[in-house]
Amino acid sequence: MKRWLTLFALVLILISAAVFVWNQFVGSRSGNADSNKEYSVMTSTQLIYLLNNKQDLQIIDLREPFLFKDGHIPGAVNIPFDEFQNRMNEISPAKPVVFVCHTGPMGDVTSKILVEQGFKNVSNLKGGMAAWDGPVTK
């Protein structure tokens, strides 16, 4: 009987942990939070549209300098992810910001940081450069 109680308690703990993790993950991406506390995810098509219409925005490429030199979105500025905390003062809160990385996760992290700093118009390129199908500058 004691063995079953231990197993039951372990299962309850695992279920509780799974629910907690799920809520943290889904809650951070849901539309239920205050809109001033969120960032958006932008597709290649949306960013190409903004670039074609001469939208005044800041594209921040978070990849390593050698990857940036191999090819980047026209007009992008290279602020490598590992330098971001020390260089985020180079980003204007007055203009929209779009983060670009390899596949997206570094852009998620930096987007959250900027939103926590009070930035209002922050986006991450969905899929990063791996999903980018627009023009590339070398």
Side-chain angles (χ1 to χ4, degrees), residues 40 42 47 50-51 54-62 68 72-79 84 87-101 107 110-111 114 118-125 132:
S40 62
M42 184 177 295
L47 183 52
L50 293 175
L51 291 172
K54 309 294 185 213
Q55 184 73 30
D56 189 22
L57 50 86
Q58 304 165 96
I59 302 171
I60 309 299
D61 192 317
L62 300 164
F68 181 80
H72 56 273
I73 297 171
V77 173
N78 187 219
I79 301 178
F84 179 75
R87 294 182 57 193
M88 66 183 190
N89 62 332
E90 297 174 28
I91 303 169
S92 170
K95 291 183 181 180
V97 180
V98 180
F99 286 110
V100 179
C101 64
T110 52
S111 293
L114 274 196
F119 283 67
K120 303 275 188 241
N121 197 345
V122 180
S123 300
N124 182 30
L125 180 63
W132 177 248

Side-chain angles (χ1 to χ4, degrees), residues 9-77:
L10 181 60
V11 168
L12 282 178
I13 290 170
L14 290 173
I15 290 172
S16 297
V19 168
F20 175 78
V21 169
W22 176 260
N23 286 335
Q24 293 298 318
F25 179 75
V26 173
S28 70
R29 288 170 168 69
S30 71
N32 297 333
D34 180 7
S35 63
N36 291 333
K37 298 289 184 189
E38 291 197 17
Y39 64 94
S40 62
V41 177
M42 184 177 295
T43 65
S44 277
T45 303
Q46 291 169 319
L47 183 52
I48 290 167
Y49 176 83
L50 293 175
L51 291 172
N52 287 340
N53 288 290
K54 309 294 185 213
Q55 184 73 30
D56 189 22
L57 50 86
Q58 304 165 96
I59 302 171
I60 309 299
D61 192 317
L62 300 164
R63 298 173 303 145
E64 295 83 1
F66 72 93
L67 291 172
F68 181 80
K69 287 178 186 173
D70 280 347
H72 56 273
I73 297 171
V77 173

